């Protein structure tokens, strides 16, 4: 476990801080998500913090910039969340035995 701690500290020292103001609902939900993830861990080797969740969200946006379409923050958020919900819904349909990708419905 000490090895994991040293490894994480080395990675953290390479991190660059970025201050981002959050809305009250974002801050509250972020705290709840981090706390629930901490409690649900099967391995207790690494803490999961609010910053962990933020970094994961940034990784998602960086990996899928095509989800970001719009001219304002509200547009970007609305379009991204709608597209993400569509993708999750489609995945659920496929897992439930729906049409294969590319088939017309």
């Amino acid at each position: 476990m000490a090895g994991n701690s040293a490894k994480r500290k080395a990675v953290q020292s390479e991190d660059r801080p970025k201050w981002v103001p959050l809305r009250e609902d974002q801050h509250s939900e972020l705290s709840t998500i981090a706390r629930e993830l901490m409690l649900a861990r099967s391995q207790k080797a690494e803490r999961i913090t609010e910053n962990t969740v933020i970094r994961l969200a940034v990784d998602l946006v960086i990996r899928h910039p095509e989800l970001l379409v719009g001219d304002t923050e509200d547009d970007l958020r609305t379009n991204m969340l709608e597209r993400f919900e569509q993708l999750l819904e489609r995945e659920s349909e496929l897992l439930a035995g729906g049409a294969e990708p590319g088939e017309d419905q």
Side-chain angles (χ1 to χ4, degrees):
M1 183 150 56
N4 286 339
S5 178
K7 183 179 176 184
R8 181 64 195 145
K9 286 180 182 175
V11 171
Q12 283 178 329
S13 67
E14 297 171 8
D15 292 347
R16 295 180 59 193
K18 176 69 176 167
W19 187 83
V20 179
L22 298 175
R23 296 185 319 261
E24 183 61 36
D25 64 308
Q26 292 171 320
H27 188 271
S28 176
E29 287 296 318
L30 191 58
S31 296
T32 300
I33 290 168
R35 187 171 37 259
E36 288 174 354
L37 289 169
M38 278 286 287
L39 293 172
R41 293 177 302 159
S42 59
Q43 297 180 18
K44 310 295 184 185
E46 182 179 318
R47 285 182 55 222
I48 298 173
T49 66
E50 294 168 3
N51 286 341
T52 306
V53 178
I54 291 168
R55 284 190 296 271
L56 295 173
V58 170
D59 286 340
L60 178 64
V61 169
I62 289 170
R63 189 166 216 178
H64 295 284
E66 71 277 6
L67 295 174
L68 300 175
V69 177
D71 297 324
T72 66
E73 182 175 342
D74 284 342
D75 289 346
L76 292 166
R77 178 179 28 265
T78 299
N79 292 329
M80 178 187 64
L81 294 175
E82 284 178 3
R83 179 67 178 133
F84 198 72
E85 289 296 325
Q86 290 171 354
L87 292 170
L88 291 175
E89 185 177 308
R90 182 67 178 138
E91 179 184 49
S92 292
E93 290 171 0
L94 290 172
L95 291 173
E100 292 297 316
E103 288 186 18
D104 292 334
Q105 291 184 348

